[in-house]
mmCIF file of all heavy atoms in Angstrom:
data_model
loop_
_atom_site.group_PDB
_atom_site.id
_atom_site.type_symbol
_atom_site.label_atom_id
_atom_site.label_comp_id
_atom_site.label_asym_id
_atom_site.label_seq_id
_atom_site.Cartn_x
_atom_site.Cartn_y
_atom_site.Cartn_z
ATOM 1 N N ALA A 1 0.870 -1.182 0.000
ATOM 2 C CA ALA A 1 -0.024 -0.004 0.003
ATOM 3 C C ALA A 1 0.882 1.250 0.015
ATOM 4 O O ALA A 1 2.003 1.195 0.518
ATOM 5 C CB ALA A 1 -0.919 0.046 1.231
ATOM 6 N N MET A 2 0.439 2.334 -0.636
ATOM 7 C CA MET A 2 1.170 3.560 -0.673
ATOM 8 C C MET A 2 0.317 4.680 -0.136
ATOM 9 O O MET A 2 -0.925 4.686 -0.287
ATOM 10 C CB MET A 2 1.605 3.858 -2.151
ATOM 11 C CG MET A 2 2.404 2.806 -2.764
ATOM 12 S SD MET A 2 4.072 2.638 -2.027
ATOM 13 C CE MET A 2 4.780 4.219 -2.373
ATOM 14 N N GLY A 3 0.973 5.654 0.461
ATOM 15 C CA GLY A 3 0.227 6.753 0.998
ATOM 16 C C GLY A 3 0.943 8.101 0.952
ATOM 17 O O GLY A 3 2.148 8.117 0.712
ATOM 18 N N TRP A 4 0.181 9.120 1.119
ATOM 19 C CA TRP A 4 0.739 10.492 1.231
ATOM 20 C C TRP A 4 0.297 11.119 2.613
ATOM 21 O O TRP A 4 -0.871 10.964 2.962
ATOM 22 C CB TRP A 4 0.223 11.346 0.135
ATOM 23 C CG TRP A 4 0.801 11.093 -1.213
ATOM 24 C CD1 TRP A 4 0.261 10.325 -2.259
ATOM 25 C CD2 TRP A 4 2.079 11.589 -1.776
ATOM 26 N NE1 TRP A 4 1.060 10.325 -3.305
ATOM 27 C CE2 TRP A 4 2.168 11.049 -3.055
ATOM 28 C CE3 TRP A 4 3.031 12.385 -1.210
ATOM 29 C CZ2 TRP A 4 3.289 11.307 -3.809
ATOM 30 C CZ3 TRP A 4 4.149 12.626 -1.973
ATOM 31 C CH2 TRP A 4 4.300 12.094 -3.323
ATOM 32 N N PHE A 5 1.295 11.694 3.224
ATOM 33 C CA PHE A 5 1.020 12.453 4.488
ATOM 34 C C PHE A 5 1.583 13.876 4.306
ATOM 35 O O PHE A 5 2.399 14.095 3.428
ATOM 36 C CB PHE A 5 1.714 11.803 5.681
ATOM 37 C CG PHE A 5 1.078 10.493 6.072
ATOM 38 C CD1 PHE A 5 1.237 9.314 5.326
ATOM 39 C CD2 PHE A 5 0.273 10.423 7.263
ATOM 40 C CE1 PHE A 5 0.595 8.165 5.725
ATOM 41 C CE2 PHE A 5 -0.310 9.243 7.652
ATOM 42 C CZ PHE A 5 -0.115 8.095 6.855
ATOM 43 N N ARG A 6 1.189 14.752 5.144
ATOM 44 C CA ARG A 6 1.738 16.125 5.133
ATOM 45 C C ARG A 6 1.959 16.635 6.536
ATOM 46 O O ARG A 6 1.302 16.198 7.462
ATOM 47 C CB ARG A 6 0.878 17.100 4.339
ATOM 48 C CG ARG A 6 -0.520 17.376 4.935
ATOM 49 C CD ARG A 6 -1.312 18.087 3.987
ATOM 50 N NE ARG A 6 -2.682 18.457 4.552
ATOM 51 C CZ ARG A 6 -3.673 19.064 3.870
ATOM 52 N NH1 ARG A 6 -3.453 19.407 2.566
ATOM 53 N NH2 ARG A 6 -4.793 19.338 4.435
ATOM 54 N N GLN A 7 2.899 17.543 6.698
ATOM 55 C CA GLN A 7 3.194 18.087 7.973
ATOM 56 C C GLN A 7 3.557 19.606 7.829
ATOM 57 O O GLN A 7 4.430 19.954 7.107
ATOM 58 C CB GLN A 7 4.369 17.415 8.611
ATOM 59 C CG GLN A 7 4.575 17.784 10.081
ATOM 60 C CD GLN A 7 5.528 16.868 10.782
ATOM 61 O OE1 GLN A 7 6.255 16.087 10.166
ATOM 62 N NE2 GLN A 7 5.471 16.812 12.078
ATOM 63 N N ALA A 8 2.741 20.427 8.464
ATOM 64 C CA ALA A 8 3.017 21.849 8.503
ATOM 65 C C ALA A 8 3.793 22.269 9.796
ATOM 66 O O ALA A 8 3.744 21.469 10.740
ATOM 67 C CB ALA A 8 1.660 22.657 8.428
ATOM 68 N N PRO A 9 4.423 23.381 9.862
ATOM 69 C CA PRO A 9 5.243 23.754 10.985
ATOM 70 C C PRO A 9 4.326 23.808 12.288
ATOM 71 O O PRO A 9 3.223 24.404 12.244
ATOM 72 C CB PRO A 9 5.734 25.164 10.687
ATOM 73 C CG PRO A 9 5.803 25.151 9.203
ATOM 74 C CD PRO A 9 4.601 24.288 8.717
ATOM 75 N N GLY A 10 4.772 23.158 13.330
ATOM 76 C CA GLY A 10 4.014 23.076 14.579
ATOM 77 C C GLY A 10 2.834 22.200 14.617
ATOM 78 O O GLY A 10 2.131 22.110 15.574
ATOM 79 N N LYS A 11 2.713 21.353 13.514
ATOM 80 C CA LYS A 11 1.533 20.458 13.451
ATOM 81 C C LYS A 11 2.013 19.019 13.418
ATOM 82 O O LYS A 11 3.173 18.683 13.072
ATOM 83 C CB LYS A 11 0.779 20.713 12.163
ATOM 84 C CG LYS A 11 0.226 22.171 12.034
ATOM 85 C CD LYS A 11 -0.948 22.388 12.990
ATOM 86 C CE LYS A 11 -1.591 23.743 12.731
ATOM 87 N NZ LYS A 11 -2.758 23.984 13.589
ATOM 88 N N GLU A 12 1.095 18.117 13.796
ATOM 89 C CA GLU A 12 1.362 16.686 13.627
ATOM 90 C C GLU A 12 1.370 16.313 12.210
ATOM 91 O O GLU A 12 0.676 16.944 11.337
ATOM 92 C CB GLU A 12 0.346 15.877 14.403
ATOM 93 C CG GLU A 12 0.351 16.083 15.921
ATOM 94 C CD GLU A 12 1.529 15.519 16.575
ATOM 95 O OE1 GLU A 12 1.972 14.436 16.100
ATOM 96 O OE2 GLU A 12 1.975 16.065 17.581
ATOM 97 N N ARG A 13 2.024 15.166 11.883
ATOM 98 C CA ARG A 13 1.971 14.622 10.526
ATOM 99 C C ARG A 13 0.598 14.107 10.264
ATOM 100 O O ARG A 13 0.053 13.334 11.072
ATOM 101 C CB ARG A 13 3.014 13.504 10.374
ATOM 102 C CG ARG A 13 3.172 13.054 8.941
ATOM 103 C CD ARG A 13 4.382 12.253 8.738
ATOM 104 N NE ARG A 13 5.600 12.980 8.958
ATOM 105 C CZ ARG A 13 6.859 12.511 8.748
ATOM 106 N NH1 ARG A 13 7.035 11.349 8.162
ATOM 107 N NH2 ARG A 13 7.861 13.248 8.973
ATOM 108 N N GLU A 14 -0.020 14.539 9.155
ATOM 109 C CA GLU A 14 -1.437 14.309 8.826
ATOM 110 C C GLU A 14 -1.629 13.424 7.626
ATOM 111 O O GLU A 14 -0.966 13.592 6.643
ATOM 112 C CB GLU A 14 -2.079 15.728 8.621
ATOM 113 C CG GLU A 14 -3.503 15.655 8.224
ATOM 114 C CD GLU A 14 -4.018 17.006 7.755
ATOM 115 O OE1 GLU A 14 -3.198 17.864 7.398
ATOM 116 O OE2 GLU A 14 -5.250 17.227 7.750
ATOM 117 N N PHE A 15 -2.492 12.511 7.826
ATOM 118 C CA PHE A 15 -2.893 11.595 6.687
ATOM 119 C C PHE A 15 -3.647 12.425 5.589
ATOM 120 O O PHE A 15 -4.430 13.256 5.801
ATOM 121 C CB PHE A 15 -3.822 10.527 7.162
ATOM 122 C CG PHE A 15 -4.459 9.693 6.089
ATOM 123 C CD1 PHE A 15 -3.701 8.680 5.486
ATOM 124 C CD2 PHE A 15 -5.731 9.888 5.627
ATOM 125 C CE1 PHE A 15 -4.245 7.917 4.418
ATOM 126 C CE2 PHE A 15 -6.291 9.127 4.664
ATOM 127 C CZ PHE A 15 -5.539 8.108 4.046
ATOM 128 N N VAL A 16 -3.178 12.158 4.302
ATOM 129 C CA VAL A 16 -3.782 12.842 3.209
ATOM 130 C C VAL A 16 -4.558 11.854 2.332
ATOM 131 O O VAL A 16 -5.725 12.038 2.028
ATOM 132 C CB VAL A 16 -2.692 13.524 2.340
ATOM 133 C CG1 VAL A 16 -3.351 14.115 1.124
ATOM 134 C CG2 VAL A 16 -2.024 14.614 3.132
ATOM 135 N N ALA A 17 -3.904 10.765 1.860
ATOM 136 C CA ALA A 17 -4.538 9.803 1.003
ATOM 137 C C ALA A 17 -3.691 8.507 0.990
ATOM 138 O O ALA A 17 -2.502 8.520 1.270
ATOM 139 C CB ALA A 17 -4.634 10.372 -0.473
ATOM 140 N N ALA A 18 -4.304 7.397 0.599
ATOM 141 C CA ALA A 18 -3.628 6.145 0.481
ATOM 142 C C ALA A 18 -4.304 5.294 -0.565
ATOM 143 O O ALA A 18 -5.459 5.496 -0.942
ATOM 144 C CB ALA A 18 -3.661 5.386 1.829
ATOM 145 N N ILE A 19 -3.535 4.310 -1.063
ATOM 146 C CA ILE A 19 -3.996 3.422 -2.132
ATOM 147 C C ILE A 19 -3.417 2.040 -1.898
ATOM 148 O O ILE A 19 -2.256 1.868 -1.521
ATOM 149 C CB ILE A 19 -3.624 3.971 -3.507
ATOM 150 C CG1 ILE A 19 -4.204 3.125 -4.671
ATOM 151 C CG2 ILE A 19 -2.087 4.111 -3.688
ATOM 152 C CD1 ILE A 19 -4.137 3.794 -5.968
ATOM 153 N N THR A 20 -4.272 1.003 -2.041
ATOM 154 C CA THR A 20 -3.823 -0.387 -1.805
ATOM 155 C C THR A 20 -3.186 -0.938 -2.995
ATOM 156 O O THR A 20 -3.147 -0.301 -4.065
ATOM 157 C CB THR A 20 -4.998 -1.268 -1.428
ATOM 158 O OG1 THR A 20 -5.895 -1.429 -2.552
ATOM 159 C CG2 THR A 20 -5.787 -0.648 -0.280
ATOM 160 N N SER A 21 -2.621 -2.120 -2.914
ATOM 161 C CA SER A 21 -2.049 -2.813 -4.067
ATOM 162 C C SER A 21 -3.081 -3.126 -5.168
ATOM 163 O O SER A 21 -2.698 -3.296 -6.301
ATOM 164 C CB SER A 21 -1.353 -4.149 -3.603
ATOM 165 O OG SER A 21 -2.262 -4.987 -2.994
ATOM 166 N N ALA A 22 -4.351 -3.151 -4.732
ATOM 167 C CA ALA A 22 -5.498 -3.378 -5.709
ATOM 168 C C ALA A 22 -6.012 -2.084 -6.197
ATOM 169 O O ALA A 22 -7.119 -2.118 -6.871
ATOM 170 C CB ALA A 22 -6.536 -4.295 -5.087
ATOM 171 N N SER A 23 -5.451 -0.998 -5.854
ATOM 172 C CA SER A 23 -5.868 0.368 -6.278
ATOM 173 C C SER A 23 -7.164 0.867 -5.617
ATOM 174 O O SER A 23 -7.791 1.758 -6.150
ATOM 175 C CB SER A 23 -5.997 0.452 -7.801
ATOM 176 O OG SER A 23 -4.720 0.279 -8.387
ATOM 177 N N THR A 24 -7.479 0.308 -4.481
ATOM 178 C CA THR A 24 -8.560 0.907 -3.655
ATOM 179 C C THR A 24 -7.988 2.098 -2.912
ATOM 180 O O THR A 24 -6.899 2.115 -2.433
ATOM 181 C CB THR A 24 -9.111 -0.150 -2.633
ATOM 182 O OG1 THR A 24 -9.621 -1.289 -3.283
ATOM 183 C CG2 THR A 24 -10.142 0.510 -1.742
ATOM 184 N N THR A 25 -8.730 3.191 -2.900
ATOM 185 C CA THR A 25 -8.210 4.491 -2.412
ATOM 186 C C THR A 25 -8.989 4.953 -1.187
ATOM 187 O O THR A 25 -10.161 4.580 -1.036
ATOM 188 C CB THR A 25 -8.258 5.552 -3.517
ATOM 189 O OG1 THR A 25 -9.657 5.823 -3.927
ATOM 190 C CG2 THR A 25 -7.439 5.195 -4.706
ATOM 191 N N ASN A 26 -8.305 5.828 -0.443
ATOM 192 C CA ASN A 26 -8.955 6.494 0.691
ATOM 193 C C ASN A 26 -8.344 7.887 0.723
ATOM 194 O O ASN A 26 -7.118 8.068 0.609
ATOM 195 C CB ASN A 26 -8.614 5.738 1.995
ATOM 196 C CG ASN A 26 -9.356 6.366 3.176
ATOM 197 O OD1 ASN A 26 -10.399 6.934 3.065
ATOM 198 N ND2 ASN A 26 -8.766 6.215 4.337
ATOM 199 N N HIS A 27 -9.178 8.897 0.951
ATOM 200 C CA HIS A 27 -8.728 10.279 0.974
ATOM 201 C C HIS A 27 -9.261 10.928 2.274
ATOM 202 O O HIS A 27 -10.414 10.678 2.600
ATOM 203 C CB HIS A 27 -9.265 11.075 -0.240
ATOM 204 C CG HIS A 27 -8.695 10.622 -1.550
ATOM 205 N ND1 HIS A 27 -9.270 9.523 -2.231
ATOM 206 C CD2 HIS A 27 -7.722 11.070 -2.321
ATOM 207 C CE1 HIS A 27 -8.595 9.357 -3.330
ATOM 208 N NE2 HIS A 27 -7.614 10.254 -3.382
ATOM 209 N N ALA A 28 -8.432 11.789 2.877
ATOM 210 C CA ALA A 28 -8.851 12.521 4.039
ATOM 211 C C ALA A 28 -10.021 13.508 3.686
ATOM 212 O O ALA A 28 -10.071 13.993 2.595
ATOM 213 C CB ALA A 28 -7.704 13.290 4.612
ATOM 214 N N ASP A 29 -10.915 13.740 4.625
ATOM 215 C CA ASP A 29 -12.019 14.649 4.358
ATOM 216 C C ASP A 29 -11.577 15.997 3.886
ATOM 217 O O ASP A 29 -12.292 16.613 3.122
ATOM 218 C CB ASP A 29 -12.939 14.743 5.584
ATOM 219 C CG ASP A 29 -13.696 13.474 5.912
ATOM 220 O OD1 ASP A 29 -13.852 12.631 5.011
ATOM 221 O OD2 ASP A 29 -14.088 13.357 7.060
ATOM 222 N N SER A 30 -10.448 16.443 4.480
ATOM 223 C CA SER A 30 -9.975 17.783 4.164
ATOM 224 C C SER A 30 -9.589 17.955 2.663
ATOM 225 O O SER A 30 -9.504 19.111 2.180
ATOM 226 C CB SER A 30 -8.782 18.163 5.066
ATOM 227 O OG SER A 30 -7.718 17.215 4.887
ATOM 228 N N VAL A 31 -9.258 16.840 1.980
ATOM 229 C CA VAL A 31 -8.824 16.995 0.589
ATOM 230 C C VAL A 31 -9.724 16.224 -0.373
ATOM 231 O O VAL A 31 -9.529 16.304 -1.571
ATOM 232 C CB VAL A 31 -7.379 16.426 0.385
ATOM 233 C CG1 VAL A 31 -6.409 17.095 1.362
ATOM 234 C CG2 VAL A 31 -7.397 14.870 0.613
ATOM 235 N N LYS A 32 -10.738 15.556 0.103
ATOM 236 C CA LYS A 32 -11.657 14.813 -0.718
ATOM 237 C C LYS A 32 -12.379 15.760 -1.699
ATOM 238 O O LYS A 32 -12.852 16.802 -1.349
ATOM 239 C CB LYS A 32 -12.734 14.097 0.131
ATOM 240 C CG LYS A 32 -13.489 13.003 -0.524
ATOM 241 C CD LYS A 32 -14.273 12.183 0.454
ATOM 242 C CE LYS A 32 -13.372 11.482 1.519
ATOM 243 N NZ LYS A 32 -14.162 10.690 2.440
ATOM 244 N N GLY A 33 -12.351 15.303 -3.012
ATOM 245 C CA GLY A 33 -12.914 16.105 -4.052
ATOM 246 C C GLY A 33 -11.900 17.006 -4.712
ATOM 247 O O GLY A 33 -12.195 17.638 -5.763
ATOM 248 N N ARG A 34 -10.706 17.241 -4.084
ATOM 249 C CA ARG A 34 -9.689 18.111 -4.652
ATOM 250 C C ARG A 34 -8.429 17.319 -4.975
ATOM 251 O O ARG A 34 -7.804 17.681 -5.983
ATOM 252 C CB ARG A 34 -9.335 19.229 -3.635
ATOM 253 C CG ARG A 34 -10.519 20.117 -3.326
ATOM 254 C CD ARG A 34 -10.008 21.335 -2.486
ATOM 255 N NE ARG A 34 -9.528 20.924 -1.220
ATOM 256 C CZ ARG A 34 -8.247 21.194 -0.799
ATOM 257 N NH1 ARG A 34 -7.418 21.865 -1.620
ATOM 258 N NH2 ARG A 34 -7.836 20.772 0.356
ATOM 259 N N PHE A 35 -8.105 16.361 -4.187
ATOM 260 C CA PHE A 35 -6.864 15.536 -4.341
ATOM 261 C C PHE A 35 -7.288 14.177 -4.811
ATOM 262 O O PHE A 35 -8.287 13.636 -4.393
ATOM 263 C CB PHE A 35 -6.001 15.450 -3.066
ATOM 264 C CG PHE A 35 -5.413 16.670 -2.558
ATOM 265 C CD1 PHE A 35 -5.723 17.947 -3.115
ATOM 266 C CD2 PHE A 35 -4.542 16.684 -1.538
ATOM 267 C CE1 PHE A 35 -5.160 19.088 -2.689
ATOM 268 C CE2 PHE A 35 -3.935 17.791 -1.062
ATOM 269 C CZ PHE A 35 -4.228 19.070 -1.589
ATOM 270 N N THR A 36 -6.419 13.602 -5.669
ATOM 271 C CA THR A 36 -6.615 12.212 -6.071
ATOM 272 C C THR A 36 -5.337 11.441 -6.071
ATOM 273 O O THR A 36 -4.335 11.893 -6.663
ATOM 274 C CB THR A 36 -7.207 12.161 -7.512
ATOM 275 O OG1 THR A 36 -8.405 12.970 -7.593
ATOM 276 C CG2 THR A 36 -7.471 10.692 -7.953
ATOM 277 N N ILE A 37 -5.246 10.275 -5.375
ATOM 278 C CA ILE A 37 -4.128 9.426 -5.397
ATOM 279 C C ILE A 37 -4.260 8.367 -6.395
ATOM 280 O O ILE A 37 -5.425 7.909 -6.667
ATOM 281 C CB ILE A 37 -3.890 8.817 -3.979
ATOM 282 C CG1 ILE A 37 -2.511 8.108 -3.919
ATOM 283 C CG2 ILE A 37 -5.009 7.865 -3.612
ATOM 284 C CD1 ILE A 37 -2.145 7.628 -2.492
ATOM 285 N N SER A 38 -3.238 8.012 -7.078
ATOM 286 C CA SER A 38 -3.219 6.922 -8.076
ATOM 287 C C SER A 38 -1.850 6.277 -8.071
ATOM 288 O O SER A 38 -0.908 6.774 -7.528
ATOM 289 C CB SER A 38 -3.634 7.508 -9.460
ATOM 290 O OG SER A 38 -2.694 8.419 -9.913
ATOM 291 N N ARG A 39 -1.759 5.181 -8.812
ATOM 292 C CA ARG A 39 -0.491 4.398 -8.897
ATOM 293 C C ARG A 39 -0.349 3.789 -10.295
ATOM 294 O O ARG A 39 -1.351 3.480 -10.911
ATOM 295 C CB ARG A 39 -0.367 3.401 -7.797
ATOM 296 C CG ARG A 39 -1.261 2.192 -7.938
ATOM 297 C CD ARG A 39 -1.192 1.351 -6.626
ATOM 298 N NE ARG A 39 0.066 0.754 -6.443
ATOM 299 C CZ ARG A 39 0.504 0.291 -5.250
ATOM 300 N NH1 ARG A 39 -0.299 0.369 -4.178
ATOM 301 N NH2 ARG A 39 1.688 -0.271 -5.155
ATOM 302 N N HIS A 40 0.861 3.730 -10.718
ATOM 303 C CA HIS A 40 1.157 3.086 -11.977
ATOM 304 C C HIS A 40 2.226 1.998 -11.619
ATOM 305 O O HIS A 40 3.414 2.286 -11.527
ATOM 306 C CB HIS A 40 1.765 4.059 -12.987
ATOM 307 C CG HIS A 40 1.919 3.532 -14.381
ATOM 308 N ND1 HIS A 40 2.201 4.234 -15.481
ATOM 309 C CD2 HIS A 40 1.715 2.226 -14.809
ATOM 310 C CE1 HIS A 40 2.341 3.474 -16.501
ATOM 311 N NE2 HIS A 40 1.928 2.266 -16.169
ATOM 312 N N ASN A 41 1.780 0.816 -11.435
ATOM 313 C CA ASN A 41 2.645 -0.282 -10.981
ATOM 314 C C ASN A 41 3.746 -0.617 -11.920
ATOM 315 O O ASN A 41 4.921 -0.943 -11.478
ATOM 316 C CB ASN A 41 1.823 -1.543 -10.705
ATOM 317 C CG ASN A 41 0.870 -1.424 -9.534
ATOM 318 O OD1 ASN A 41 1.038 -0.520 -8.675
ATOM 319 N ND2 ASN A 41 -0.142 -2.271 -9.466
ATOM 320 N N ALA A 42 3.583 -0.489 -13.180
ATOM 321 C CA ALA A 42 4.608 -0.780 -14.172
ATOM 322 C C ALA A 42 5.772 0.161 -14.047
ATOM 323 O O ALA A 42 6.920 -0.160 -14.450
ATOM 324 C CB ALA A 42 4.049 -0.761 -15.600
ATOM 325 N N GLU A 43 5.554 1.375 -13.445
ATOM 326 C CA GLU A 43 6.555 2.359 -13.330
ATOM 327 C C GLU A 43 7.026 2.498 -11.849
ATOM 328 O O GLU A 43 7.884 3.321 -11.561
ATOM 329 C CB GLU A 43 6.126 3.756 -13.813
ATOM 330 C CG GLU A 43 5.815 3.766 -15.287
ATOM 331 C CD GLU A 43 5.306 5.121 -15.753
ATOM 332 O OE1 GLU A 43 5.029 5.944 -14.905
ATOM 333 O OE2 GLU A 43 5.224 5.361 -16.982
ATOM 334 N N ASN A 44 6.428 1.687 -11.011
ATOM 335 C CA ASN A 44 6.778 1.774 -9.540
ATOM 336 C C ASN A 44 6.537 3.181 -9.000
ATOM 337 O O ASN A 44 7.394 3.681 -8.196
ATOM 338 C CB ASN A 44 8.166 1.237 -9.277
ATOM 339 C CG ASN A 44 8.338 -0.248 -9.497
ATOM 340 O OD1 ASN A 44 7.375 -0.980 -9.711
ATOM 341 N ND2 ASN A 44 9.596 -0.682 -9.466
ATOM 342 N N THR A 45 5.475 3.786 -9.364
ATOM 343 C CA THR A 45 5.270 5.220 -9.035
ATOM 344 C C THR A 45 3.803 5.415 -8.481
ATOM 345 O O THR A 45 2.903 4.827 -9.068
ATOM 346 C CB THR A 45 5.462 6.105 -10.263
ATOM 347 O OG1 THR A 45 6.824 5.865 -10.784
ATOM 348 C CG2 THR A 45 5.359 7.540 -9.913
ATOM 349 N N VAL A 46 3.751 6.210 -7.501
ATOM 350 C CA VAL A 46 2.447 6.707 -6.967
ATOM 351 C C VAL A 46 2.367 8.186 -7.158
ATOM 352 O O VAL A 46 3.359 8.885 -7.041
ATOM 353 C CB VAL A 46 2.219 6.259 -5.503
ATOM 354 C CG1 VAL A 46 3.230 6.926 -4.583
ATOM 355 C CG2 VAL A 46 0.818 6.582 -5.044
ATOM 356 N N TYR A 47 1.127 8.690 -7.415
ATOM 357 C CA TYR A 47 0.922 10.098 -7.731
ATOM 358 C C TYR A 47 -0.073 10.761 -6.785
ATOM 359 O O TYR A 47 -0.954 10.024 -6.214
ATOM 360 C CB TYR A 47 0.432 10.321 -9.191
ATOM 361 C CG TYR A 47 1.291 9.736 -10.220
ATOM 362 C CD1 TYR A 47 1.074 8.464 -10.698
ATOM 363 C CD2 TYR A 47 2.437 10.463 -10.694
ATOM 364 C CE1 TYR A 47 1.890 7.869 -11.690
ATOM 365 C CE2 TYR A 47 3.219 9.840 -11.666
ATOM 366 C CZ TYR A 47 2.988 8.621 -12.119
ATOM 367 O OH TYR A 47 3.822 8.061 -13.139
#
């Protein structure tokens, strides 16, 4: 599984989005509808 987190100064590291090996996704409420996680397995890359 692959994920994205973010951390602002003085803040805890915050979950943003994640994707499973089967490409099932989960997005934090704060970014839902604006951010999209995806993966291209042939390139070993997550976006």
Side-chain angles (χ1 to χ4, degrees):
M2 302 293 295
W4 288 97
F5 290 74
R6 65 188 183 186
Q7 188 167 19
K11 302 287 187 178
E12 296 289 327
R13 190 166 295 189
E14 175 190 21
F15 172 78
V16 176
I19 185 167
T20 70
S21 60
S23 296
T24 299
T25 62
N26 185 30
H27 297 80
D29 289 341
S30 59
V31 306
K32 198 169 297 182
R34 299 188 298 121
F35 293 8
T36 304
I37 190 171
S38 62
R39 67 192 296 161
H40 189 175
N41 290 339
E43 297 179 351
N44 292 349
T45 304
V46 63
Y47 304 96

